[in-house]
Structure formats: structure tokens, C-alpha cells
């Protein structure tokens, strides 16, 4: 009985304490016209749990450092300006929430990673509805966990002569959530290094100078419903395990070294229900093991798939291949785990028993694609009559193309995928 | 000379084969444009057809025409016309007639459906190809007296330029795999007008990114302002050189 009573008292006390501490949470208003004009001063005054309301205006306060767990709310799009010299804001405390602030004109440097917003050694941080304009790094995350970036917009690369670095840059962090962000004109749109157990959902990485998404050593991450479009070199992902990419759109990554997705040393990963459209190479896999490529749509790519012989146990099922110049290319004796049940628009076989599955296997590797893999100079003969004739002869009597690379059950009609998600509205 | 040109040109334009060629080109290219929603794709298919058909028709038709009118040529040679202008007027007649046929058959549909830089390039290169192969056929037919042999050689010329040459190129490229091939590729593509036209057209199209580093090399040499002048000059040489040698030969030929 006594113990229960004590417990109740304890509960009551802690509840009271909670109320008191909530009551203590003050609201500080910063405004160019108000009492408190300087954000850094407000940082000094504020206690953990306080709310800082920043009203519209331009704040040029050099490099700000926040070491308290407060909420910052921007009213009427206040601007924190780095004057092209400073790091706008460095956060080094847990439990911070920042909403509706415009971060502008961070400094740039070849020696240090100057970011508009840097988060270091922190936990439980939410950055929401913020705008990042004309910065070197947009958001830089170091050694932090449980961080959310929601509905932010990062645009850079508009000032001539000013270098731009990565949009959302994360290093050695875990449990991140990136949702509904838009990154444009940065070097890499989203960059991860040693980032684990994170979710990247519904982001738009468009027109970045190098990669739309670039990650290394980042295991167990989920990439869902994102759009990667028109980036200089597409998307490159390396040295990671258990990556799951689902319902993404990879489009218009067009150029001599641009890839829809470059998979370099990726293991145990799934690529499902994505759309690859108008990329020079939709997927280039090098040293990738146990990759499952299911239910994807490959349309109008130069090469739909380039899978190097260094890959093993790749599974390729139920994908649609439509209007690609080459469906599959490889550089040696590639062995796939399975490659069945895809739809290939170049398939010329028949289906006598009308079960929707072609009766003769389809070989996606053409003779010419083998030749240019060995001798790029042979691209001089691209689309020539000679090449067409050669391919035709080889497809009638296959002798040089790899014997085991074939789809034994090619589907006769285009497969309907359940990818009618938000991604589709960008088509 | 004018009279001869007029006569030859009209004679050819009234020819059933040329009309059929023109109609076929027209129907085919119209069909392609109407079937396909994206004009670039139809242009691509049209390019493939043009690269095969235009040289074939040009070289075969003009060879046969010249052999068939050998008596007429002899008759005209007896008239007070200079041999040079006689031969040139035959060339102009043939070339203009085939070029007109190509322009009506292929050029008008392209202008209707895709009058952009790619389309214009296709028309210009198609016209050049027509004229080049007339010139090549005149070169071969002036050296060979026998009709059957001449037609056989014309067929071989077409086969060489559209197929065998590419085979040789592939062979050479594999033999010299270990060496930097960029300059060699440029040199090789200059040696075949069909290849050159194909590369110029592909460079104009979006697919050039597929060609990787090779395309960058080609772009340097054949695209852009100086590049287009270079490629145009090369094609012009292909037109002028065979013609020049054939005129020289015809001047001294014992008819």
C-alpha cells in the first residue's frame, strides 16, 4: 500500500514539475523594430525549452552558435544572412526545432565546410519549412541522430563565381528523416557518408551539378518516392549494404558520364517500383552483390542496365523495358541469379499457348553492345546498316553473345506496376 | 549546255523509277511522321532508310542511265559541244533530278513535321548524298565500257560504302585496340560519306551522349561552327573529286 502511495506522490510531483517547467518556458520575440534586435543575444538569454520568435527582417550577425534546446519560429520569412563570409548558424545542442527561416549567402571555402546550417553532435532536431538560398553547403550534419528535415527548399549555384557544395550533407549520423525537401543547383543534392537507419522520402533533387543523391558507407536506408532529375551525373551510391529504393523517379540524367543510378559495391539491396526515364545509363552496377531489381520501368534510356561481370547474384524480374537503345550490356562473363518474367519491347518471340509468356527465351545482349563494351571506338558505327545486320544475324543464330544471359519467360505484354504514386505527376 | 541539262533532267524526272522512288520516299516519311508522335524518333528511322536507299538509288540509277544513253552521248559528242560541258551537263541533269526527287519525297515531310536544325541537317545531308553518289557513279561508268560490268561495279560501290567499309573499320579498330584511336576514327569517317553523314546527323540528335568519348571527339571535329564547315567541305570534296576525275577521263576517252 505504502509503496503505491509513494509512487502516486512521485507521479504527482513529477507532473507538477512538468507543469512548472512548461510554465517557465518563455517566449522571446526578436524583431528589427522590437526590444530584442539580435538573435545571438536572444540565444544568450534563452533557457532550454524556450521559444524564440524571429520576426521578418534581415539578420546579419556573422557566425551564430546555438547551444540550447529551444524552438525557433520564423514569422514572415526572416532572413539570416551569412554575407557570403560566415557560417549562418551552428547548432550544438539536443532538442532544437527551427521553422520558417530563410538562410542566405553562407560563406564558401576550400578548406572548411562552411554551411548555412550546421548541426553537430546533437539529437532530436527538426528543421522545417526553411529556405536555403545561395549557400555553399546547405545543411551540414555531423555526428548526430534523430534529425528530421521536412519541407525545406535548398537552392544554390545562381551566383557566378561562387562555388556551391552539397545541399543536404550528412556525415556519421543515424536515424535521419528527410521528407519533402527540394534541392536544386548544389554540387550533390543529398550527400550521405556513414549515415544509417534513415528514411529519405518524397524529396526532389533536381538540376544539381554533380549527383542528385550520393552516398557511401550508409547502410539500412530507405529511399522512397524521391525524384532525381536532370543532375549532372545522376545518382551514385557506393559501398553500402541493405539499401532499399522504392517508387523513385530517376530521369533525364543525360551526358557522357551520367547515370540514373550508379551502384558501386552495393550489397543486399532492393530496387523496386522505380521509374528510369531518359538516362544515358539507367543502372550501372559494378561490384554489386545480391541486388534485387524488381518491377521497375525502364523507358527511353541509352542503356537500361549495364551490369559488370564483377556483380553476382543479381535478380532482375518483372521489369518493363521500353524504347531503350540497349536493354542490357556487360563486359564479361556475367552470371545473374535470375532474369525472368520481364517485358522487353524488342522481344520478337511468340506465345502459342496464349498464357502471356513468350515461348522462346529473349536475349537482351546484342552483339553490338558486346563490341562497344570492348572497343568504345566502335561507337563510330552506331546505328549503321552494318551493325543492324550484325545484330540481326546474331539474334537469329546466337553464337557469340553469352549463352546463359537470357529471359526464359519473357512477358508478352507490358506489365502493369503499382507505381501510380506521387512520383508520376512529375512525368 | 543548258539544253542538255534541261533535257536530261526532265527525261529523268519523267522516268517511272524516279517517280516511284520519289513516291516511296514521300509515303514512307509521311507514314513515319504520322505514326510516331515524337518527330525525333521518325527522323531516326528516316535517317536509317536514307543512308541505305539514297546512295543505292543514286548510284544504280545514274549508272544505268548513263549506259542506256551511251548512244545519245555519242551523238551529242559529234555535235559542236565541248566534251567537258557535255559530261558536266549530264552530271547536273542527273544530280538535280535525283536531288529534286529526294527533296520532294523526303524534304517536304521533314519540313512539315520537324523543321528544326536536325531536320534541316537531314535534308542537306540527304541532298549531298544524292549528288555524291551520282558523281561516284559517273566516275565508275566512265572507266568501264561494258554495261553489265559497270552496273555490277556500281552495286559493289554501294555495298562497299554501306556495308563492307564498316566491316573493315571494325576490323581495324579491333586490330589497333591498344592505341589511341580518336584521330584514326576521324580519318576513317572522312573516308566514307555515308558514315560521315550518319555521324553528323547523330551528333545533331540527342543520342550523341550515348556515344561517350567518341562523340566528344566527333563533336570537336564535326559539330559547332568550324566543325560543320569541315564536314561540309569534306562532303563537297566527295562530290567534286570523282567528278573531276571522270571529266578528265571523258575528255580523252575513245567513245
Amino acid at each position: 500500500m505504502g509503496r503505491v502511495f509513494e509512487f502516486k506522490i512521485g507521479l504527482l510531483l513529477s507532473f507538477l514539475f512538468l507543469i512548472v517547467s512548461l510554465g517557465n518556458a518563455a517566449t522571446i520575440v526578436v524583431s528589427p523594430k522590437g526590444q530584442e534586435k539580435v538573435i545571438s543575444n536572444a540565444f544568450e538569454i534563452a533557457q532550454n525549452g524556450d521559444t524564440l520568435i524571429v520576426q521578418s527582417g534581415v539578420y546579419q550577425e556573422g557566425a551564430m552558435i546555438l547551444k540550447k534546446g529551444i524552438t525557433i519560429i520564423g514569422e514572415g520569412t526572416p532572413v539570416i544572412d551569412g554575407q557570403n563570409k560566415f557560417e549562418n548558424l551552428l547548432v550544438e545542442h539536443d532538442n532544437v526545432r527551427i521553422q520558417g527561416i530563410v538562410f542566405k549567402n553562407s560563406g564558401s571555402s576550400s578548406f572548411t565546410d562552411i554551411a548555412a546550417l550546421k548541426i553537430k553532435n546533437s539529437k532530436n532536431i527538426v528543421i522545417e519549412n526553411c529556405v536555403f538560398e545561395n549557400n555553399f553547403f546547405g545543411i551540414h550534419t555531423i555526428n548526430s541522430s534523430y534529425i528530421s528535415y521536412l519541407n525545406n527548399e535548398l537552392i544554390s549555384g545562381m551566383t557566378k563565381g561562387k562555388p556551391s557544395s552539397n545541399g543536404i550533407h550528412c556525415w556519421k549520423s543515424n536515424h535521419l528523416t528527410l521528407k519533402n525537401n527540394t534541392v536544386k543547383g548544389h554540387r550533390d543534392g543529398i550527400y550521405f557518408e556513414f549515415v544509417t537507419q534513415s528514411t529519405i522520402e518524397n524529396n526532389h533533387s533536381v538540376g544539381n551539378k554533380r549527383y542528385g543523391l550520393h552516398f557511401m558507407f550508409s547502410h539500412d536506408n530507405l529511399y522512397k518516392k524521391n525524384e532525381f532529375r536532370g543532375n549532372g551525373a545522376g545518382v551514385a551510391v557506393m559501398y553500402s549494404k541493405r539499401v532499399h529504393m522504392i517508387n523513385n523517379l530517376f530521369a533525364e540524367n543525360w551526358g557522357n558520364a551520367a547515370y540514373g543510378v550508379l551502384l558501386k559495391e552495393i550489397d543486399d539491396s532492393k530496387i523496386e517500383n522505380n521509374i528510369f526515364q531518359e538516362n544515358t545509363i539507367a543502372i550501372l552496377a559494378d561490384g554489386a552483390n545480391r541486388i534485387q531489381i524488381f518491377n521497375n520501368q525502364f523507358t527511353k534510356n541509352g542503356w537500361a542496365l549495364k551490369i559488370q561481370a564483377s556483380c553476382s547474384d543479381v535478380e532482375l524480374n518483372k521489369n518493363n523495358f521500353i524504347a531503350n537503345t540497349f536493354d542490357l550490356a556487360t563486359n564479361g562473363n556475367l552470371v545473374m541469379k535470375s532474369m525472368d518474367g520481364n517485358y522487353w519491347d524488342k522481344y520478337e518471340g511468340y506465345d502459342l499457348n496464349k498464357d502471356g509468356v513468350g515461348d522462346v527465351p529473349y536475349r537482351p545482349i546484342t552483339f553490338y553492345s558486346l563490341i562497344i563494351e570492348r572497343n568504345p571506338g566502335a561507337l563510330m558505327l552506331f546505328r549503321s546498316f552494318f551493325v543492324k545486320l550484325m545484330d540481326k544475324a546474331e539474334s537469329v543464330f546466337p553464337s557469340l553473345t553469352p549463352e546463359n544471359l537470357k529471359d526464359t519467360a519473357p512477358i508478352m505484354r507490358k506489365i502493369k506496376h503499382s507505381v501510380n504514386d506521387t512520383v508520376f505527376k512529375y512525368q | 549546255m543548258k539544253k542538255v541539262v534541261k533535257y536530261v533532267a526532265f527525261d529523268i524526272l519523267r522516268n517511272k523509277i524516279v517517280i516511284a522512288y520519289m513516291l516511296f520516299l514521300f509515303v514512307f516519311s509521311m507514314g513515319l511522321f504520322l505514326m510516331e508522335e515524337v518527330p525525333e524518333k521518325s527522323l531516326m528511322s528516316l535517317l536509317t532508310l536514307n543512308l541505305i536507299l539514297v546512295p543505292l538509288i543514286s548510284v544504280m540509277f545514274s549508272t544505268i542511265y548513263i549506259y542506256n544513253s551511251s548512244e545519245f552521248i555519242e551523238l551529242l559528242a559529234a555535235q559542236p559541244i565541248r566534251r567537258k560541258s557535255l559530261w558536266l551537263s549530264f552530271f547536273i541533269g542527273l544530280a538535280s533530278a535525283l536531288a529534286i526527287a529526294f527533296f520532294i519525297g523526303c524534304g517536304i515531310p521533314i519540313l512539315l513535321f520537324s523543321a528544326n536544325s536536325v531536320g534541316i541537317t537531314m535534308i542537306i545531308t540527304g541532298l549531298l548524298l544524292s549528288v555524291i553518289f551520282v558523281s561516284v557513279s559517273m566516275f565508275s561508268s566512265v572507266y568501264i565500257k561494258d554495261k553489265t560490268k559497270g552496273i555490277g561495279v556500281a552495286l559493289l560501290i554501294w555495298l562497299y560504302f554501306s556495308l563492307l567499309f564498316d566491316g573493315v573499320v571494325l576490323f581495324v579498330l579491333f586490330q589497333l585496340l591498344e592505341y589511341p584511336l580518336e584521330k584514326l576514327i576521324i580519318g576513317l569517317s572522312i573516308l566514307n560519306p555515308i558514315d560521315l553523314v550518319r555521324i553528323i546527323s547523330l551528333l545533331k540528335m540527342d543520342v550523341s551522349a550515348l556515344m561517350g568519348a567518341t562523340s566528344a571527339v566527333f563533336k570537336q571535329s564535326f559539330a559547332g561552327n568550324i566543325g560543320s564547315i569541315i564536314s561540309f567541305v569534306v562532303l563537297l570534296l566527295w562530290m567534286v573529286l570523282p567528278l573531276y576525275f571522270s571529266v578528265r577521263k571523258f575528255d580523252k576517252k575513245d567513245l
Side-chain angles (χ1 to χ4, degrees):
Chain A
M1 181 73 189
R3 224 179 246 174
V4 171
F5 183 69
E6 266 171 37
F7 176 70
K8 276 185 177 166
I9 291 281
L11 202 69
L12 195 69
L13 277 177
S14 60
F15 186 64
L16 276 173
F17 181 72
L18 192 70
I19 287 176
V20 168
S21 65
L22 274 179
N24 269 354
T27 303
I28 304 166
V29 178
V30 182
S31 163
K33 291 166 209 147
Q35 242 181 353
E36 189 53 75
K37 294 187 176 65
V38 183
I39 299 176
S40 344
N41 289 351
F43 285 172
E44 297 280 321
I45 306 164
Q47 301 294 314
N48 283 342
D50 284 358
T51 302
L52 202 68
I53 293 183
V54 182
Q55 290 185 334
S56 64
V58 178
Y59 299 88
Q60 298 183 328
E61 302 178 21
M64 281 189 263
I65 299 173
L66 174 61
K67 291 194 172 177
K68 277 166 190 159
I70 59 171
T71 301
I72 304 174
I73 298 174
E75 274 185 7
T77 59
V79 177
I80 297 181
D81 190 344
Q83 297 159 274
N84 291 317
K85 282 184 223 154
F86 306 104
E87 186 160 277
N88 302 23
L89 178 60
L90 167 65
V91 176
E92 268 187 296
H93 199 280
D94 301 348
N95 308 322
V96 173
R97 187 180 191 97
I98 300 178
Q99 287 177 356
I101 306 270
V102 179
F103 294 86
K104 239 184 186 172
N105 305 331
S106 80
S108 53
S109 160
S110 317
F111 305 108
T112 51
D113 296 344
I114 297 177
L117 172 62
K118 192 179 270 180
I119 291 164
K120 207 170 171 181
N121 308 330
S122 308
K123 264 185 197 163
N124 298 328
I125 289 183
V126 180
I127 311 294
E128 221 178 343
N129 297 323
C130 289
V131 178
F132 296 79
E133 272 176 26
N134 197 23
N135 300 305
F136 186 55
F137 278 88
I139 306 176
H140 197 310
T141 321
I142 301 168
N143 193 25
S144 302
S145 51
Y146 299 97
I147 313 282
S148 300
Y149 300 129
L150 315 169
N151 306 319
N152 300 297
E153 205 178 319
L154 299 94
I155 300 174
S156 184
M158 289 163 306
T159 314
K160 209 178 168 189
K162 178 172 175 167
S164 59
S165 194
N166 305 331
I168 300 177
H169 180 107
C170 305
W171 181 79
K172 201 169 177 264
S173 301
N174 59 66
H175 294 97
L176 308 185
T177 307
L178 274 69
K179 246 186 195 177
N180 305 331
N181 301 292
T182 303
V183 189
K184 283 181 188 165
H186 275 278
R187 185 178 64 190
D188 291 351
I190 299 169
Y191 179 99
F192 287 170
E193 202 173 343
F194 306 107
V195 172
T196 54
Q197 286 136 310
S198 298
T199 306
I200 295 86
E201 197 178 333
N202 206 16
N203 300 290
H204 306 288
S205 186
V206 181
N208 293 295
K209 285 173 191 131
R210 196 170 66 181
Y211 300 117
L213 168 70
H214 187 189
F215 63 74
M216 284 178 278
F217 313 106
S218 296
H219 312 310
D220 302 294
N221 294 333
L222 171 65
Y223 302 83
K224 206 174 162 189
K225 294 188 193 175
N226 300 292
E227 179 195 21
F228 302 102
R229 183 189 286 273
N231 298 300
V235 167
V237 298
M238 305 170 188
Y239 315 110
S240 301
K241 292 183 177 122
R242 297 175 299 280
V243 176
H244 196 169
M245 290 183 167
I246 178 167
N247 283 346
N248 300 291
L249 171 68
F250 302 89
E252 293 164 33
N253 299 300
W254 200 253
N256 282 337
Y259 312 99
V261 181
L262 164 66
L263 302 169
K264 170 94 183 146
E265 314 261 331
I266 300 286
D267 293 346
D268 302 294
S269 296
K270 284 183 186 173
I271 298 176
E272 286 176 294
N273 281 310
N274 301 289
I275 301 171
F276 296 88
Q277 203 170 295
E278 292 169 61
N279 304 291
T280 302
I281 302 173
I283 296 183
L284 171 62
D286 187 9
N289 302 310
R290 298 175 298 282
I291 306 282
Q292 299 178 328
I293 303 173
F294 293 162
N295 296 326
N296 300 289
Q297 183 101 14
F298 296 90
T299 318
K300 293 184 195 166
N301 301 290
W303 283 268
L305 292 162
K306 242 189 195 182
I307 302 181
Q308 308 295 61
S310 53
C311 302
S312 71
D313 289 331
V314 176
E315 291 173 68
L316 184 69
N317 301 118
K318 294 190 178 125
N319 302 288
N320 280 329
F321 292 86
I322 296 159
N324 303 299
T325 308
F326 301 106
D327 287 330
L328 177 60
T330 183
N331 61 346
N333 289 323
L334 170 67
V335 181
M336 305 263 270
K337 192 171 176 192
S338 74
M339 194 170 69
D340 295 333
N342 300 290
Y343 168 75
W344 314 85
D345 67 339
K346 295 187 187 67
Y347 180 58
E348 286 168 342
Y350 46 82
D351 176 23
L352 284 182
N353 55 359
K354 302 278 176 221
D355 60 351
V357 178
D359 296 348
V360 283
Y362 174 71
R363 295 166 193 279
I365 295 208
T366 59
F367 185 46
Y368 182 54
S369 75
L370 273 182
I371 285 178
I372 51 176
E373 225 25 70
R374 281 184 216 161
N375 191 344
L379 272 163
M380 179 191 154
L381 305 176
F382 188 47
R383 283 183 196 275
S384 68
F385 186 36
F386 178 68
V387 162
K388 284 208 169 79
L389 227 61
M390 233 166 37
D391 275 349
K392 202 80 209 162
E394 178 67 23
S395 75
V396 176
F397 302 106
S399 59
L400 295 159
T401 46
E403 166 59 26
N404 51 3
L405 278 181
K406 60 186 175 189
D407 189 334
T408 49
I411 304 297
M412 295 302 286
R413 307 191 67 175
K414 196 178 149 187
I415 303 162
K416 283 202 177 97
H417 293 142
S418 56
V419 274
N420 46 356
D421 271 295
T422 47
V423 166
F424 264 95
K425 76 174 187 246
Y426 294 97
Q427 277 209 70
Chain B
M1 185 172 170
K2 247 188 200 168
K3 265 188 188 164
V4 182
V5 171
K6 230 185 196 172
Y7 175 80
V8 170
F10 278 114
D11 187 38
I12 293 167
L13 280 177
R14 263 179 296 156
N15 188 303
K16 274 180 200 143
I17 291 176
V18 173
I19 291 174
Y21 166 62
M22 189 165 71
L23 272 180
F24 173 77
L25 277 184
F26 188 76
V27 170
F28 191 86
S29 36
M30 280 305 256
L32 272 181
F33 279 115
L34 291 175
M35 247 175 11
E36 194 64 61
E37 281 169 31
V38 195
E40 280 75 38
K41 272 182 127 183
S42 341
L43 275 181
M44 198 83 87
S45 315
L46 204 55
L47 174 70
T48 315
L49 177 87
N50 281 351
L51 291 178
I52 300 167
L53 197 65
V54 169
L56 178 66
I57 296 289
S58 284
V59 82
M60 290 309 289
F61 183 82
S62 25
T63 308
I64 293 172
Y65 186 82
I66 287 167
Y67 281 116
N68 279 351
S69 42
S70 62
E71 282 164 7
F72 179 56
I73 292 173
E74 272 171 39
L75 177 75
L76 285 177
Q79 307 296 319
I81 306 177
R82 287 179 59 207
R83 276 200 169 187
K84 207 190 213 172
S85 51
L86 171 61
W87 194 244
L88 277 180
S89 47
F90 258 83
F91 168 74
I92 293 168
L94 270 167
S96 57
L98 285 170
I100 288 169
F102 174 80
F103 185 77
I104 293 175
C106 230
I108 287 177
I110 289 176
L111 284 180
L112 281 179
F113 287 94
S114 137
N116 48 23
S117 69
V118 184
I120 305 284
T121 313
M122 291 256 314
I123 296 174
I124 294 174
T125 51
L127 293 174
L128 282 172
L129 266 188
S130 306
V131 180
I132 285 170
F133 278 90
V134 170
S135 152
V136 169
S137 81
M138 294 193 82
F139 175 71
S140 77
S141 53
V142 80
Y143 274 91
I144 298 160
K145 187 115 193 179
D146 184 38
K147 183 179 173 180
T148 345
K149 204 175 153 198
I151 292 172
V153 167
L155 201 60
L156 268 182
I157 286 174
W158 171 78
L159 201 66
Y160 169 75
F161 281 121
S162 50
L163 262 183
L164 300 179
F165 182 85
D166 290 350
V168 174
V169 164
L170 197 63
F171 177 75
V172 170
L173 287 179
F174 268 96
Q175 292 309 306
L176 305 174
L177 193 53
E178 310 298 322
Y179 299 90
L181 292 170
E182 286 78 19
K183 284 192 180 132
L184 180 76
I185 289 171
I186 298 286
L188 284 173
S189 51
I190 285 173
L191 289 179
N192 183 349
I194 297 182
D195 276 359
L196 186 58
V197 164
R198 196 188 66 243
I199 288 162
I200 294 169
S201 310
L202 286 178
L203 283 182
K204 281 272 173 198
M205 291 176 191
D206 209 21
V207 287
S208 59
L210 289 186
M211 296 168 69
T214 318
S215 134
V217 176
F218 281 129
K219 265 202 170 136
Q220 258 176 9
S221 321
F222 297 137
N225 290 333
I226 301 166
S228 351
I229 293 172
I230 294 175
S231 40
F232 189 71
V233 166
V234 170
L235 287 176
L236 225 54
L237 278 180
W238 266 105
M239 209 152 75
V240 171
L241 284 181
L243 185 66
Y244 170 75
F245 286 115
S246 74
V247 167
R248 238 179 49 170
K249 174 72 185 171
F250 185 74
D251 232 6
K252 295 171 201 154
K253 197 182 171 189
D254 181 18
L255 287 174

